[in-house]
Amino acid sequence: MAYQFDRARYDERMGWFLHDRFGMFIHFGLYAIPARGEWLRSDEEMPEEDYLPYFHEFNPTALDARDWARRAREAGMRYAVLTAKHHDGFCLFDTATTDFKSTNTPFGRDIVAEFLEAFRAEGLRVGLYYSLIDWHHPDFPQYGDRQAPFRNDPVRGCNDDRVFDRYLDYMHEQVRELCTNYGRLDLLWFDFSYDDLRGDAWRGTQLMEMVRSLQPDVVTNNRLEVSGEGYGSLAACHPTPYHGDFVTPEKIVPPTGIRDAEGRPLAWESCVTMNDNWGYHATDKNFKPAPLLVHKLVECVSKGGNMILNVGPDATGRIPDESCRILDEIGRWMRRNSASVYGCGPAAGGPLDVRPPEVGRLTRNGNTYYFHLYENALGPVPLLGVPKDRIEKIRRLCDGTEVLLSTSWTHSDYPDVAFADLGPSPVLPDPVDTVLAVTIKEANAR
């Protein structure tokens, strides 16, 4: 039987995702010990025997999933995704399929189980990242694969004795374990498809039939079909059985919102690193300032998207100090302004043709427009596209202060523009992002 996409069912499971908007990504594994990023086996074409000592050393005794969860919640994040298995094949869960797992290291604990328990306890939705790629498994192709560590070694990377179907059996069983042994999952984040390894090359139809039978409400990304590039079959309006529920632009915010081939808004999530790497990298100090990340989160929401922001715990299991400081700063802003993020989306489609401030962004929830001001105006702030007689109230979101419409003579040449009076100070109340909540009257209530 041909696959039938159920739009109503899709909209139902996507409700929380489109509301919550902001999540935490956690990349953690053996690669935290060499501390050169999660791709080092590929980047350095590292032999397996040079990587295995990290397995025998792995003992992140400072790992406290409750601390991770508390930091995520206090930063204003509503969901989190942990790398259950990355490309190196090391599993953070107690799988029956391999000995290459955290419970067999000196640490001896099921990190996935601890993550799920801690984040659920903080009221956050939980997801697991799972790599379709596996450089540890003896049946995963190596020679000629453009990313595998032995891609350039015709002897050690030889594929003659590799049986890809055996690997697929293994991979499917691991996904079945994750969907069976750990309770309800809110999100599954697969990574990733490339070249000829796409869709049913992974037995994608079978895989998603199993996932949906075990976790019927789980939200999935689009990387059974594509990588960080490409939108997938749902965007093309010809969804496959393994279509993703959302698009995954990586380390970029799309220039505009993303729409499908028929012009409907498409769910997407920009996955963003704090520095340049996903896994812990000891010398990568290119951390993005917290105000920039606040602005990027707001930009995502203003374009109809989510943002999932990564942390890479170090070899002891601690989130790096730089990341903690950034999370704290974001949290301070979110505690006062999260109403302009949660449940919000683009202004387009609202009751008015409202335009964003010249230096800032615009988000909307129903009849409330949130003007995000990154820089003050000279004089009162113009609320472009908002008729004066449609304004019910204006409030400074951070503290509920009433903001009056200006009556200054300085804007008398613009009688059709509403101007908000923020007072005489040229400095915004919040230098990161001062948010004005402008509530509009219903059209028949004027």
Side-chain angles (χ1 to χ4, degrees):
M1 175 184 284
Y3 173 72
Q4 295 293 316
F5 175 64
D6 187 336
R7 173 66 64 175
R9 186 71 189 87
Y10 169 81
D11 290 341
E12 181 181 352
R13 70 172 174 266
M14 290 296 290
W16 73 264
F17 183 80
L18 297 175
H19 176 275
D20 289 356
R21 292 301 189 193
F22 188 29
M24 174 182 276
F25 224 157
I26 305 173
H27 278 67
F28 186 57
L30 301 182
Y31 42 78
I33 299 173
R36 298 192 296 276
E38 74 292 343
W39 273 76
L40 86 159
R41 273 214 69 201
S42 174
D43 292 343
E44 301 176 14
E45 300 186 38
M46 181 184 287
E48 180 90 349
E49 61 267 24
D50 291 349
Y51 196 66
L52 285 178
Y54 304 131
F55 172 78
H56 299 295
E57 180 184 347
F58 186 77
N59 192 20
T61 53
L63 191 159
D64 183 354
R66 295 167 300 180
D67 179 67
W68 294 356
R70 178 183 57 80
R71 291 185 183 280
R73 178 182 55 77
E74 291 182 353
M77 293 152 163
R78 288 290 189 91
Y79 63 99
V81 176
L82 171 70
T83 51
K85 184 196 83 169
H86 206 267
H87 309 331
D88 62 354
F90 178 63
C91 299
L92 300 188
F93 61 105
D94 191 18
T95 173
T97 62
T98 181
D99 293 333
F100 198 48
K101 56 185 178 178
S102 60
T103 51
N104 276 7
T105 66
F107 189 57
R109 286 156 46 185
D110 186 323
I111 297 172
V112 163
E114 294 184 15
F115 160 80
L116 294 172
E117 180 182 6
F119 279 75
R120 286 170 180 150
E122 290 289 347
L124 304 181
R125 291 188 181 266
V126 290
L128 296 175
Y129 165 110
Y130 183 84
S131 172
L132 304 169
I133 299 164
D134 194 318
W135 299 325
H136 176 76
H137 196 279
D139 288 308
F140 192 86
Q142 290 264 348
Y143 181 63
D145 181 287
R146 60 188 168 96
Q147 291 146 164
F150 290 144
R151 58 187 173 272
N152 295 313
D153 189 333
V155 177
R156 303 186 71 179
C158 179
N159 296 319
D160 290 351
D161 295 326
R162 301 179 193 270
V163 180
F164 193 56
D165 274 341
R166 277 200 304 249
Y167 171 67
L168 293 180
D169 290 342
Y170 169 89
M171 184 260 282
H172 280 227
E173 178 59 18
Q174 288 197 336
V175 174
R176 188 197 64 77
E177 289 177 325
L178 292 172
C179 290
T180 302
N181 298 342
Y182 293 94
R184 176 188 169 117
L185 301 176
D186 299 295
L187 197 152
L188 274 176
W189 219 101
F190 293 110
D191 198 24
F192 61 91
S193 296
Y194 60 103
D195 299 340
D196 293 332
L197 292 175
R198 299 175 186 273
D200 273 326
W202 303 115
R203 293 190 209 146
T205 297
Q206 177 187 345
L207 182 67
M208 282 309 303
E209 286 174 351
M210 175 184 68
V211 167
R212 289 274 168 240
S213 70
L214 298 172
Q215 297 278 346
D217 297 318
V218 73
V219 171
T220 63
N221 71 337
N222 67 336
R223 294 198 181 186
L224 279 169
E225 298 183 307
V226 296
S227 65
E229 301 171 294
Y231 290 167
S233 61
L234 186 60
C237 297
H238 295 289
T240 63
Y242 43 82
H243 72 79
D245 294 325
F246 62 95
V247 176
T248 54
E250 184 167 331
K251 295 185 177 182
I252 188 173
V253 179
T256 62
I258 301 176
R259 294 183 176 270
D260 68 19
E262 295 176 358
R264 287 180 297 239
L266 199 64
W268 56 274
E269 174 193 73
S270 185
C271 49
V272 178
T273 52
M274 282 195 181
N275 50 6
D276 291 335
N277 288 269
W278 298 99
Y280 181 67
H281 194 301
T283 62
D284 177 4
K285 301 301 181 182
N286 293 329
F287 284 90
K288 302 169 183 67
L292 173 65
L293 291 171
V294 169
H295 294 176
K296 295 299 109 178
L297 169 62
V298 171
E299 182 180 353
C300 286
V301 177
S302 75
K303 295 175 177 179
N306 290 23
M307 187 171 86
I308 187 166
L309 180 62
N310 184 70
V311 296
D314 64 22
T316 71
R318 294 180 178 93
I319 296 176
D321 290 343
E322 299 96 332
S323 297
C324 290
R325 285 193 290 270
I326 290 168
L327 291 173
D328 288 344
E329 286 188 56
I330 294 172
R332 280 195 291 274
W333 184 87
M334 284 291 287
R335 279 190 287 278
R336 292 196 174 260
N337 297 285
S338 61
S340 66
V341 172
Y342 305 144
C344 291
L352 300 171
D353 182 19
V354 182
R355 283 165 281 166
E358 287 192 349
V359 184
R361 295 281 171 182
L362 185 66
T363 60
R364 178 181 64 86
N365 187 345
N367 282 352
T368 299
Y369 291 82
Y370 295 99
F371 285 76
H372 296 259
L373 307 176
Y374 302 160
E375 181 182 293
N376 210 344
L378 283 176
V381 176
L383 307 176
L384 297 177
V386 183
K388 298 174 190 176
D389 64 351
R390 291 290 300 277
I391 296 175
E392 180 178 307
K393 61 181 179 181
I394 306 174
R395 299 290 183 266
R396 203 163 62 191
L397 185 59
C398 66
D399 57 10
T401 295
E402 180 181 31
V403 177
L404 299 175
L405 285 176
S406 170
T407 58
S408 172
W409 68 270
T410 58
H411 50 73
S412 57
D413 288 334
Y414 315 100
D416 296 330
V417 178
F419 287 81
D421 184 358
L422 297 189
S425 175
V427 179
L428 288 171
D430 186 334
V432 173
D433 177 2
T434 294
V435 185
L436 301 184
V438 180
T439 302
I440 304 302
K441 301 173 186 174
E442 296 292 343
N444 56 8
R446 282 189 272 179

